[in-house]
Amino acid sequence: MVDEARDESKKEQMALVLRFPSTEGFIQERFLDVIHVTDTTALTLKKAICKVLSDNNLNVQDIRGQGYDGASNMRGEWNGLKALILNDCPYAYYVHCMAHQLQLALVVASREVHDVHNFFQNANFIINVVSALTKRNDELLANKAAEIAREIELGELDTGKGKNQIGTLQRPGGDAVGALKIIMSFDFVFILHLMEKIMKITDVLCQTLQKKSLDILNALDLVSTTKVLLGKLREDGWDPLLQEVQSFCLKHEIDIPDLNSRYVDVTKSRKKHDNTTTLHHYRADVFNVAIDQKMVELNDRFGVQNTELLTLCASLDPRHDSFDVSNICTLVEIFYPADFSSQERAHLESQLPHFQLDVCNHPELKSSPSLADLTIGLFKTGKAATYSMVDRLLRLVITLPVSTATTERAFSAMKLVKTRLRNRMGDDFLRHYMVVYIGKEIAAKITSDEIINLFDTGSRRAEFKLIDM
C-alpha cells in the first residue's frame, strides 16, 4: 500500500506499507519505509518501490495485492502505478482504497443536493466566525457549560430559558449576526438533524474501514448493510426526524414554518414559483433526494469492487450458502495459478468438502465473524495443517488491501517527527526515526544491552557503556 505527501520541508515523501498474514493468521500492516521522491509520476514511484523491496530482500513477484487512493497516477489503466506493477507481477490485484471511496461518495452526494451543499457552506462560515475571535469561543464554551450544569441540577435534558440559550450570547455586529440568523433558522436545523442521522449510519462503515484486521469481503458486507440502513431511513425515518426537529425548534425558540403553506425559494424568480408546499420541499426535495444521492454514489463507487475476483472469493466461507467448491477451484485456477501447482489444486478440491463440514460443526470455527477470524481459528485449533491448501488460499484472500489508512497514519507520525523546528532533518534519519516511532511495539522488545552490543561490534575506539544515573 502506497501514498504520498509533502513533509515540513516541502519534500515529496512516499510511504510504503506491507499487508500480510502472520504465522498465527493475524492480518498485519507494517510500515516499511518512507522514501523521498523527486516527482510523483507512476514510473518514479514504481522504481522507488522496487528498490525498497529489493533492499529488504523482498521479491516483486510475490506481491498479491496493491492498494492506493484514486489519483490518476496511481490507478491509470495504461501508465498508472497499478498498471506498471501488474506488468511485473500479474497477480498483484489492485483494490481502490475503500475509505477514500466512501469519502468521495459522501462529498459528491452532498454537492449534488443544493440545500445540503448550502448547509455545509453555512456550517463552515459559522465555524470560522466563532473561531475567529477567542472571546466568541470563550462565550460559547461558558454558555454551554452553564447549560449542562443547569440540566444536571434539574435532572432533565431540556434546556432552561434565559442565560442558557444561545441567543443570550453577546451579539456583535457583522458576520456574527449573520451566523446567528443561520443557526436559528428552521432550514439549518432540519438539515443538521438529517445529516446527523446519515453520518451516524456511515460513520460505522468509515471507522471499520480503517481497521487493519478487516478483510475485503467483510468490508463489502458492511457496505451492503450501510445501504440497507440508508434505505430504511428513507422509508421509515421521516416522521421521527420531523418530530425531533420540531421539538428542537420549540426548545430553542426557533420559528417553525407552516408546513402546509406554499414554499418560496428566494433563489428563484417570483414568477417561477410553483405550488410546492413546505412539507413537500423538505420531504421530497431534501430528505428523499439527499438519501437517494448517497445511495447512488455508494452503488457507483463500491459497485466496481464486485469483480469476478471478489465474487469468487465470496464462495470461500463454508457457513454461507454461497460456498461452492467449483467456484473456489476456479478462483485458484484463474487468479492464483502461481501459488498452487496442479497437484496442490487437486488436494485443495479434496479438502474443501471436509473443510465445510468441519467448520460448520466446530463450536469455535462456526462462530468466526469473518474470513480473517476463520484463518486465526484454523491456526489455534491446529486445523491449518489438516487443511493446508485451504489455509493458504484464505491467507492469499485476506492479504487483499481494504484501505490506505495505515499509510495516512504514517504521514501523521511524520508531522510529529519532522516539525517546523526540525525541518532540516535528513531523509535517512527521518526514515529510521519513523520506523522506530511507528513500530513502537517492536522497538519496545529491543533491550539496551542489545543496542550496546550492536554498537560495540563496529570499529569503535571507545567502549560504549550504559551508565546508571
Side-chain angles (χ1 to χ4, degrees), residues 15 18 22 75 77 82 111 117 130 150 158 185 222 225 228 230 232 255 261 292 327 352 365 371 403 413 421:
L18 298 184
S22 65
R75 61 181 176 87
E77 293 293 334
K82 77 160 187 178
R111 288 178 178 174
H117 180 61
V130 173
R150 182 174 178 81
D158 294 334
S185 66
L222 192 56
T225 59
V228 170
L230 286 174
K232 288 184 178 179
D255 293 335
S261 63
D292 289 344
N327 283 344
L352 285 171
L365 295 179
L371 291 182
S403 74
L421 298 178

Side-chain angles (χ1 to χ4, degrees), residues 424-450:
R424 298 185 65 181
M425 181 184 294
D427 293 332
D428 288 338
F429 185 73
L430 174 64
R431 179 184 301 113
H432 299 153
Y433 200 130
M434 287 183 63
V435 169
V436 176
Y437 183 85
I438 296 174
K440 294 184 180 70
E441 68 280 4
I442 298 177
K445 299 177 182 178
I446 304 175
T447 64
S448 300
D449 292 335
E450 290 175 334

Side-chain angles (χ1 to χ4, degrees), residues 68-70 75 94-109 205 209 216 220 223 294 297-306 310 401-404:
Y68 319 117
D69 60 18
R75 61 181 176 87
Y94 168 74
V95 178
H96 187 173
C97 171
M98 299 182 73
H100 186 256
Q101 289 195 87
L102 175 62
Q103 180 188 13
L104 290 177
L106 297 178
V107 171
V108 172
L205 175 61
L209 288 178
I216 194 164
L220 291 176
V223 172
K294 294 285 191 298
E297 289 297 327
L298 288 176
N299 287 329
D300 288 346
R301 296 186 181 275
F302 288 97
V304 297
Q305 298 285 7
N306 295 324
L310 300 183
V402 176
S403 74
T404 58

Side-chain angles (χ1 to χ4, degrees), residues 68-85:
Y68 319 117
D69 60 18
S72 58
N73 64 326
M74 296 291 193
R75 61 181 176 87
E77 293 293 334
W78 302 105
N79 297 316
L81 178 60
K82 77 160 187 178
L84 297 180
I85 296 294

Side-chain angles (χ1 to χ4, degrees), residues 105-255:
L106 297 178
V107 171
V108 172
S110 298
R111 288 178 178 174
E112 291 296 324
V113 184
H114 176 73
D115 295 85
V116 175
H117 180 61
N118 286 342
F119 165 79
F120 282 108
Q121 286 185 325
N122 291 333
N124 184 58
F125 168 71
I126 292 168
I127 292 172
N128 291 335
V129 169
V130 173
S131 60
L133 295 177
T134 56
K135 182 179 179 181
R136 294 175 187 166
N137 191 55
D138 291 342
E139 287 179 355
L140 185 63
L141 292 176
N143 186 270
K144 183 63 177 177
E147 179 181 341
I148 294 175
R150 182 174 178 81
E151 290 179 357
I152 295 175
E153 180 182 354
L154 297 177
E156 58 183 23
L157 296 177
D158 294 334
T159 306
K161 296 183 179 179
K163 65 178 182 180
N164 294 319
Q165 293 292 330
I166 295 178
T168 60
L169 292 174
Q170 294 186 13
R171 299 188 182 188
D175 292 340
V177 175
L180 185 61
K181 289 181 178 179
I182 294 173
I183 293 176
M184 301 297 289
S185 66
F186 179 84
D187 188 77
F188 184 86
V189 172
F190 177 84
I191 300 179
L192 175 66
H193 283 76
L194 173 60
M195 289 297 104
E196 180 193 21
K197 290 186 177 296
I198 293 177
M199 294 303 178
K200 280 183 177 179
I201 294 175
T202 57
D203 181 65
V204 176
L205 175 61
C206 179
Q207 296 297 328
T208 306
L209 288 178
Q210 299 179 51
K211 293 181 178 180
K212 298 179 182 179
S213 60
L214 183 69
D215 64 84
I216 194 164
L217 294 180
N218 203 19
L220 291 176
D221 288 340
L222 192 56
V223 172
S224 299
T225 59
T226 300
K227 292 188 285 189
V228 170
L229 290 175
L230 286 174
K232 288 184 178 179
L233 176 63
R234 190 188 190 281
E235 295 297 326
D236 307 322
W238 167 254
D239 291 333
L241 173 65
L242 183 60
Q243 292 175 5
E244 185 178 335
V245 171
Q246 290 175 333
S247 175
F248 182 91
C249 291
L250 292 173
K251 175 180 175 180
H252 294 281
E253 300 180 353
I254 298 174
D255 293 335

